Amino acid sequence: MTNFGNMIKQAQQMQKKMNETQEKLNSIEVEGMSGGGTIKVTANAKGDIKKVSIDDSLLKVEEKEILEDLILAAVNDAKKKADDVRTEEMKNVTGGIPLPPGFKLPF
């Protein structure tokens, strides 16, 4: 019985750590850039886009397609950085133990 009790206690502690990590991921910000910093996208570590910044020099109708490509590149850069931070934070929660395939986290 004590082993089962310890397992329950460990699971509760891990759940608490996961909840704390979720809150932390909401507050960590990453910035993706493209076009030499002319396009910047700010996201939280969960991957939610918070802000898009466009340098005034890019606001030309004839460069609309370039601008769209740069925004896409900056968004993807921010998403990758958010994924990297999230992976690192989860290693801290799980002690580096990989989660089972198909296991979905609440964030």
Side-chain angles (χ1 to χ4, degrees):
M1 271 294 196
T2 56
N3 282 342
F4 184 71
N6 286 339
M7 286 176 50
I8 295 294
K9 188 174 182 177
Q10 287 175 343
Q12 289 170 337
Q13 288 174 343
M14 183 175 266
Q15 181 64 44
K16 181 181 177 191
K17 285 182 183 180
M18 289 175 108
N19 289 339
E20 290 169 356
T21 299
Q22 183 176 8
E23 289 177 30
K24 185 176 181 181
L25 292 174
N26 276 326
S27 65
I28 295 173
E29 287 192 346
V30 295
E31 184 176 72
M33 290 188 279
S34 66
T38 56
I39 300 288
K40 296 177 183 175
V41 174
T42 304
N44 66 17
K46 288 179 64 178
D48 299 329
I49 304 302
K50 298 296 183 181
K51 180 181 176 186
V52 175
S53 175
I54 302 168
D55 188 273
D56 290 344
S57 68
L58 295 175
L59 300 175
K60 299 174 186 166
V61 174
E62 64 272 11
E63 295 182 6
K64 179 180 183 280
E65 194 171 322
I66 293 169
L67 180 58
E68 291 168 344
D69 289 343
L70 289 173
I71 291 171
L72 180 61
V75 167
N76 286 331
D77 187 37
K79 184 176 178 346
K80 183 192 178 315
K81 289 176 180 177
D83 289 345
D84 292 346
V85 169
R86 187 170 49 251
T87 298
E88 224 20 68
E89 289 298 323
M90 287 311 303
K91 283 182 185 176
N92 293 336
V93 172
T94 65
I97 299 169
L99 297 173
F103 185 81
K104 300 287 185 208
L105 295 173
F107 44 91

